[in-house]
């Protein structure tokens, strides 16, 4: 076992893990963050996407040890059930999912996209979400949701 | 083989990393982004007792431009390369290849050094670096040496790196102004491993004579490779006289020289045909650019 200090959703956790422990497993099993979804476990599907220092990465494709000292954000740190993040609101309003399994990862990738390029075109949105597979095939509504989220964030920004 | 766990080591400098490699030898592996190595370890394809995690070495993550070259630290993330403004003009094919490597999430984790050192036949970063005559800096606990990219790949998954050496930097010389380049990749989807990838680069003198021709292919042989016999056909020709017959001759030569295999992504025949087509597209693209410059 090996010591690991992990900063997730603003909280610092001091853990003891196996040196080979995979980040997704530590987030789910040690910290109970079940919004980190593991589907393929080999970097194809994007379900386990989290933000590391603001950038989307696959939690199933790295050692937990590699994440030490980084700022991690999972869907649990983005919004709460009572107080959804504008991107989450947009996905609910536009029905940007069916089963919802891939949704946490897609929403986190969307956060990064809209910070980088809020006026993304549908094809830019599709390219930036190319690392996510939605087996329900909700893609057209996902793209609409991202566009609506961009509008919501812009409106919020205007209010400040 | 049955992997259960390993010892985790975290050096903070390239020299410290090499000292650990000296100490533990073949039972240890350098771990960069880990996106490929982790899978190989999980699937028992590679065995290691010691994981030398390079993630905490800040010194090898940079893209620096000086008057004659752009130097890329081996631990630079593929995503940083994809968006680097230093890689412009004929070096932009490095950026393009980075932008087509796997998914955005993988590109935020995977490193250019890892992509090259893994020495997969399909490594997307390899063809651009081959045609741009990149130089690779190897470091070890006792010193450093430089190896030409053209001499880097030895065989399937094998490179010129000795057991105790670490790839530290990739130095890409800035070609003369009258240069044009092209990167092309055919994949099953935008995120998939290449069925075939390739790059080409040509430099002409002020009369339009080709003084330098490079054509490199990936996923059609045990390693990414230059197709020198095809390059030679074009070398010394006048860009204004290159016609379909000559382009056809070059692309057929590429077809003859490569040794593709059949796998889940495509048959050998398909790869050979696609390689011919990509050769034509790349030459036409480059010649059009060079002819435009000659006439302007």
């Amino acid at each position: 076992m090996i010591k690991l200090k992990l900063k997730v959703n603003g909280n610092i956790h001091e853990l003891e893990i196996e040196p080979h422990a995979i980040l997704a497993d530590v987030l789910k099993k040690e910290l109970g963050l079940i919004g980190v979804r593991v589907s393929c476990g080999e970097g194809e599907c994007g379900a386990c996407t989290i933000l590391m220092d603001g950038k989307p990465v696959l939690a199933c494709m790295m050692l937990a040890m590699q994440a030490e000292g980084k700022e991690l954000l999972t869907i649990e740190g983005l919004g709460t059930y009572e107080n959804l993040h504008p991107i989450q609101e947009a996905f609910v309003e536009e029905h940007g999912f069916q089963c919802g399994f891939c949704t946490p990862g897609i929403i986190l990738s969307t956060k990064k996209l809209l910070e980088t390029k809020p006026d993304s075109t549908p094809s830019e949105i599709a390219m930036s979400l190319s690392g996510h597979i939605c087996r329900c095939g909700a893609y057209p509504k996902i793209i609409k949701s991202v566009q609506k989220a961009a509008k919501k964030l812009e409106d919020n920004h205007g209010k400040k | 083989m049955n992997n259960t766990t390993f010892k985790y080591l975290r050096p903070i400098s390239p020299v410290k990393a090499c000292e650990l490699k000296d100490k533990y030898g073949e039972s240890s592996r350098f771990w960069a982004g880990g996106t490929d190595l982790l899978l190989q370890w999980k699937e028992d394809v590679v065995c290691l007792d010691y994981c030398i995690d390079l993630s905490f070495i800040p010194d090898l993550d940079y893209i620096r431009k000086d008057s004659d070259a752009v130097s890329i630290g081996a631990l630079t993330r593929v995503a940083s390369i994809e968006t680097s403004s230093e890689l412009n003009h004929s070096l932009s094919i490095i950026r393009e290849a980075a932008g087509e490597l796997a998914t955005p999430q993988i590109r935020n984790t995977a490193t250019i050094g890892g992509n090259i050192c893994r020495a997969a036949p399909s490594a997307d970063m390899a063809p651009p670096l081959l045609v741009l005559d990149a130089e690779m800096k190897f470091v070890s606990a006792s010193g450093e040496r430089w190896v030409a990219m053209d001499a880097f790949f030895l065989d399937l998954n094998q490179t010129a790196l000795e057991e105790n050496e670490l790839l530290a930097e990739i130095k890409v010389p800035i070609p003369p102004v009258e240069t044009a380049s092209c990167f092309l990749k055919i994949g099953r989807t935008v995120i998939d491993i290449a069925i075939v990838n390739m790059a080409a680069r040509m430099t002409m003198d002020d009369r339009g004579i080709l003084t330098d021709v490079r054509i490199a292919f990936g996923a059609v042989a045990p390693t990414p490779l230059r197709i020198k016999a095809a390059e030679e056909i074009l070398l010394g020709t006048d860009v204004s006289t290159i016609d379909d017959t000559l382009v056809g001759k070059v692309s057929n030569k590429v077809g003859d020289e490569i040794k593709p295999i059949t796998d889940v992504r495509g048959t050998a025949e398909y790869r050979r045909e696609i390689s011919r087509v990509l050769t034509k597209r790349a030459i036409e693209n480059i010649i059009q650019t060079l002819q435009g410059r000659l006439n302007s």
Side-chain angles (χ1 to χ4, degrees):
Chain A
M1 300 293 267
I2 187 168
K3 281 190 163 65
L4 166 67
K5 202 185 274 187
L6 210 54
K7 190 170 181 190
V8 189
N9 301 332
N11 303 315
I12 292 173
H13 302 271
E14 296 197 19
L15 304 165
E16 279 207 23
I17 60 162
E18 295 277 5
H20 66 273
I22 289 160
L23 181 58
D25 293 335
V26 170
L27 294 172
K28 281 172 79 85
K29 293 172 190 164
E30 301 289 327
L31 302 179
L33 299 167
I34 57 169
V36 181
R37 304 285 165 78
V38 176
S39 179
C40 72
E42 53 185 51
E44 299 285 340
C45 76
C48 65
T49 300
I50 61 164
L51 296 185
M52 177 177 287
D53 290 343
K55 295 173 187 169
V57 298
L58 299 175
C60 81
M61 293 292 279
M62 56 196 302
L63 301 175
M65 293 305 293
Q66 288 178 274
E68 189 151 43
K70 312 277 188 192
E71 299 262 352
L72 307 185
L73 185 76
T74 72
I75 196 71
E76 289 87 350
L78 189 69
T80 61
Y81 195 72
E82 294 74 27
N83 187 17
L84 293 176
H85 185 277
I87 301 173
Q88 293 172 309
E89 285 175 3
F91 272 74
V92 172
E93 289 165 17
E94 290 296 320
H95 306 286
F97 50 83
Q98 281 188 46
C99 81
F101 195 84
C102 66
T103 313
I106 290 180
I107 286 178
L108 290 167
S109 278
T110 300
K111 180 171 188 288
K112 167 66 177 165
L113 171 69
L114 296 181
E115 282 164 7
T116 314
K117 199 165 188 307
D119 58 344
S120 293
T121 64
S123 74
E124 285 169 336
I125 294 169
M127 282 309 285
S128 83
L129 298 179
S130 59
H132 295 272
I133 292 174
C134 167
R135 280 294 75 148
C136 304
Y139 299 112
K141 293 198 169 188
I142 290 170
I143 289 173
K144 278 192 182 148
S145 304
V146 175
Q147 288 177 301
K148 181 146 194 189
K151 178 115 195 353
K152 278 177 181 279
L153 290 168
E154 194 192 350
D155 291 349
N156 282 5
H157 195 69
K159 278 181 206 156
K160 276 180 192 170
Chain B
M1 285 195 286
N2 238 328
N3 287 322
T4 49
T5 190
F6 46 65
K7 295 255 179 2
Y8 176 86
L9 306 166
R10 189 185 278 173
I12 51 160
S13 75
V15 170
K16 292 272 181 223
C18 291
E19 284 171 3
L20 290 170
K21 198 81 181 75
D22 276 346
K23 190 170 173 191
Y24 297 112
E26 283 183 21
S27 64
S28 64
R29 285 288 289 259
F30 289 130
W31 194 286
T35 54
D36 220 0
L37 194 49
L38 178 59
L39 273 186
Q40 289 186 304
W41 182 79
K42 273 164 67 174
E43 289 165 7
D44 287 336
V45 178
V46 299
C47 255
L48 58 144
D49 298 327
Y50 296 89
C51 162
I52 305 175
D53 184 6
L54 306 176
S55 308
F56 295 81
I57 300 179
D59 302 4
L60 297 182
D61 179 0
Y62 57 83
I63 301 173
R64 284 186 209 125
K65 189 175 203 167
D66 58 37
S67 58
D68 61 350
V70 175
S71 300
I72 306 171
L75 294 176
T76 306
R77 308 276 164 204
V78 174
S80 309
I81 292 165
E82 183 187 355
T83 52
S84 168
S85 57
E86 308 287 7
L87 298 167
N88 51 19
H89 305 298
S90 43
L91 299 192
S92 62
I93 53 173
I94 301 173
R95 246 173 43 194
E96 288 165 31
E100 292 197 36
L101 192 155
T103 66
Q105 298 98 308
I106 300 266
R107 297 199 286 272
N108 281 328
T109 310
T111 66
I112 185 170
N115 185 249
I116 298 300
C117 293
R118 162 80 166 81
S122 57
D124 284 325
M125 301 312 302
L129 296 176
L130 279 167
V131 301
L132 291 165
D133 294 343
E135 297 274 329
M136 323 291 272
K137 182 183 173 184
F138 296 179
V139 297
S140 65
S142 56
E144 64 174 65
R145 66 181 175 123
W146 288 86
V147 171
M149 185 66 190
D150 193 27
F152 182 70
F153 296 113
L154 302 184
D155 204 344
L156 183 66
N157 305 339
Q158 278 180 39
T159 71
L161 283 160
E162 296 291 340
E163 187 62 44
N164 64 344
E165 287 177 316
L166 172 69
L167 175 66
E169 182 179 285
I170 298 154
K171 188 172 182 177
V172 190
I174 297 171
V177 178
E178 296 312 335
T179 297
S181 62
C182 182
F183 171 79
L184 298 169
K185 171 176 173 177
I186 297 287
R188 201 174 49 84
T189 66
V190 292
I191 67 167
D192 202 12
I193 293 168
I195 299 171
V196 175
N197 55 18
M198 67 87 66
R201 190 264 296 183
M202 297 180 207
T203 302
M204 64 178 181
D205 65 14
D206 53 10
R207 296 168 303 151
I209 307 297
L210 291 176
T211 54
D212 233 347
V213 178
R214 297 280 185 277
I215 300 170
F217 271 83
V220 294
T223 70
L225 77 169
R226 271 174 60 190
I227 315 290
K228 292 180 186 175
E231 295 172 355
E232 280 161 16
I233 299 174
L234 286 169
L235 192 64
T237 58
D238 182 334
V239 294
S240 58
T241 65
I242 292 172
D243 58 9
D244 290 351
T245 315
L246 189 63
V247 174
K249 212 172 140 186
V250 180
S251 60
N252 283 336
K253 186 54 109 180
V254 167
D256 295 343
E257 293 284 311
I258 59 176
K259 298 180 185 68
I261 58 162
T262 295
D263 68 10
V264 289
R265 291 189 172 79
T267 62
E269 292 75 20
Y270 178 70
R271 285 193 159 95
R272 203 179 292 280
E273 182 56 23
I274 283 292
S275 299
R276 289 195 197 101
V277 172
L278 294 185
T279 305
K280 279 185 197 163
R281 285 186 197 165
I283 296 174
E284 281 162 9
N285 175 307
I286 287 171
I287 295 302
Q288 201 177 11
T289 306
L290 290 179
Q291 282 177 350
R293 290 208 203 137
L294 208 54
N295 297 333
S296 63

